[in-house]
Amino acid sequence: MIPEKLDEGNDTYGLLHYLYGPGRRDEHVDPHMVAAWDAYVDDPARSPGMSISDLALILDAPVFAMRGTKPRLHVYHVAVRNAPEDRILSDGEWAEVARGMMHAAGIAEHGDDEACRWAAVRHADDHIHIVATKVREDGRQPNLRQDIVRMQAAARSFEENFGLRRLEHGDKTAACWQTSGEQEKAERRGLSEAPRATLQRTVREAAAASISDGDFFAKLTASGLRVKQRIAPDGTLAGYSVALPGDRNREQSPIWYAGTRLAPDLSLPRVRERYGTPVPEARVSPAEMWRVAEEKVRAAADRLGADGLHQGAGDVAALGDLIVVAAASSPRLVRDQLRQAAHEFERASRAPGARALQGQARALFRESAQVLSQSVSAVGRADTAAALGFLLALVQAVEAARRWHAAQEYRAQAQASGRAGRLLLEAVEVTAGAHVAREYRPRPARVTAQGERMAAGRGERSMAGVVRAALPEHARGVLSDAAWPALRLRLAEIERAGEDPADVLAAVAARRELFSAQSIAEVLTWRLDGWRKYRGTSSDVSGKSPLPRAAGGTGRSAAPARGTGAAASRRRPPGEDQHKGRRRAR
């Protein structure tokens, strides 16, 4: 839960009119009041006797009645927003949040009958807006010192009480939050994210793979950003700013962001730290890049934080850059998971306090990143098997970082490491499932006495029976797991694709051990996702009659069989075509 203090103003009616209106792009849904300073105040959206102008006049009444100098900006505006993964709170719960925030801010403390007037408006599932006037009923002005700090402390309490995602108190390592204005602007333009988020990700990718100032700015320019360097009076490079093409203000001037406005570790001095200590150049063939990177990451994971506190801070920073580079170099099958992992680990890579740049683990992480960035052109479908070992090593390194953060009591960083580790583990299992699909050879189809082919298992048994047949030692735990519905859906989709779900499930289960998994059903679901992704992008045709692909699928359509009514050709293993000549026409 994030309380955000927005710009103060002097137009109560104008703000209320916007909050109760449709929004700039009709994004406001069912605007209504969830709470106010007085329980008997009518809601303009649901009471014909109260209008928006009436509510504004009532809120402003203490300001008009105030003796002496009135505050120039008397409208206090706060937005309280939940994380996307949080459950949707009820109006009653949001009312409790609004009262708690006004108490924490000093606007209206509990039991104070002379406090300021306020109203909380909800026009979306995930947030509310609180509008208050900064004059008390007794004519005095409230004490708002440290108001946002106190509201953040109240938000931590609500997160615990309502079972929401737990955030941590600020340690000055978090990236700059996107403002509501930036988010609304992105929605108006039809963008998936605000320009600040796009710039932050692009600059981080360039910084993680750079080896010099010139290389850094060349990568920024090549990525399509507008770049402006800041030159000091003595002629040296002192800083930089970036802008997204097309992102302009009302005066049609580009909106520039300095590196420090994107994240604490993207200022020019912090970017230079990445390549301040030279890394030996390693020439590695594309076929060996994953193996070499894996060896270095495993060695670094064993050394992470072993040289002291400051060396540990430098180690996790280099690990964060490695995950960013790995996301760009990874097989497309798991690229989304690695990019999300890099996003989650971003906070973990910034430990509070000083950091050393000469640690052994840091050097190994930097060498691994250089190996991957030099071999990025070798990325392809065939890399899934080779990348599996590297991904397992990366899981080991992130877990080492999580333990180090927990030992230093860096709770926000430890939680970020845990989230990144879960995403990397998903990538491991998806890769394992794809590797099984690559080597899989289906059992021969059963044939009836009349010589007719039978679909293997289609419609003959339930998916629970499939699990019992394929995994008798794990069946009870899988069927009682919360992830069982998702696994059942994957098995049904595999059956509809013409495969034997029991045969496929047994194959992916045998790929790696399952006894250490916290949720076997979830792990199997991830492996089947990898299986389906590989089969969907493979050019191999099915061993049975080709089934039509769903509209919008990513795979290529299978070539129709020659001859009307002819049976489909037998599926040949990948690469078999390379060893056989052209088939002779019959």
Side-chain angles (χ1 to χ4, degrees), residues 125 169 251 407 501:
D125 289 336
H169 293 293
E251 291 74 28

PDB file of all heavy atoms in Angstrom, residues 125 169 251 407 501:
ATOM      1  N   ASP A 125     -10.703   0.109  -8.512  1.00  0.00           N
ATOM      2  CA  ASP A 125     -10.612  -0.969  -7.524  1.00  0.00           C
ATOM      3  C   ASP A 125      -9.413  -0.831  -6.613  1.00  0.00           C
ATOM      4  O   ASP A 125      -9.461  -1.240  -5.448  1.00  0.00           O
ATOM      5  CB  ASP A 125     -10.544  -2.329  -8.243  1.00  0.00           C
ATOM      6  CG  ASP A 125     -11.863  -2.721  -8.880  1.00  0.00           C
ATOM      7  OD1 ASP A 125     -12.907  -2.229  -8.408  1.00  0.00           O
ATOM      8  OD2 ASP A 125     -11.842  -3.514  -9.841  1.00  0.00           O
ATOM      9  N   HIS A 169       9.901   0.084   5.260  1.00  0.00           N
ATOM     10  CA  HIS A 169      10.192   1.505   5.432  1.00  0.00           C
ATOM     11  C   HIS A 169      11.360   1.893   4.528  1.00  0.00           C
ATOM     12  O   HIS A 169      12.269   1.102   4.267  1.00  0.00           O
ATOM     13  CB  HIS A 169      10.530   1.816   6.887  1.00  0.00           C
ATOM     14  CG  HIS A 169       9.354   1.628   7.821  1.00  0.00           C
ATOM     15  ND1 HIS A 169       8.244   2.430   7.769  1.00  0.00           N
ATOM     16  CD2 HIS A 169       9.130   0.727   8.794  1.00  0.00           C
ATOM     17  CE1 HIS A 169       7.372   2.040   8.701  1.00  0.00           C
ATOM     18  NE2 HIS A 169       7.893   1.001   9.322  1.00  0.00           N
ATOM     19  N   GLU A 251       4.511  22.526 -23.424  1.00  0.00           N
ATOM     20  CA  GLU A 251       5.210  23.440 -24.326  1.00  0.00           C
ATOM     21  C   GLU A 251       5.861  22.706 -25.490  1.00  0.00           C
ATOM     22  O   GLU A 251       6.628  23.295 -26.241  1.00  0.00           O
ATOM     23  CB  GLU A 251       6.283  24.220 -23.547  1.00  0.00           C
ATOM     24  CG  GLU A 251       5.722  25.227 -22.554  1.00  0.00           C
ATOM     25  CD  GLU A 251       5.142  24.554 -21.318  1.00  0.00           C
ATOM     26  OE1 GLU A 251       5.627  23.449 -20.967  1.00  0.00           O
ATOM     27  OE2 GLU A 251       4.208  25.122 -20.714  1.00  0.00           O
ATOM     28  N   ALA A 407      20.818 -11.690   6.683  1.00  0.00           N
ATOM     29  CA  ALA A 407      21.794 -11.605   7.764  1.00  0.00           C
ATOM     30  C   ALA A 407      22.101 -10.161   8.139  1.00  0.00           C
ATOM     31  O   ALA A 407      22.374  -9.855   9.316  1.00  0.00           O
ATOM     32  CB  ALA A 407      23.081 -12.328   7.362  1.00  0.00           C
ATOM     33  N   PRO A 501      -1.511 -37.540 -22.042  1.00  0.00           N
ATOM     34  CA  PRO A 501      -1.112 -36.707 -20.893  1.00  0.00           C
ATOM     35  C   PRO A 501      -0.341 -37.486 -19.834  1.00  0.00           C
ATOM     36  O   PRO A 501       0.558 -36.930 -19.196  1.00  0.00           O
ATOM     37  CB  PRO A 501      -2.444 -36.183 -20.359  1.00  0.00           C
ATOM     38  CG  PRO A 501      -3.474 -37.132 -20.868  1.00  0.00           C
ATOM     39  CD  PRO A 501      -2.975 -37.622 -22.189  1.00  0.00           C
TER      40      PRO A 501
END
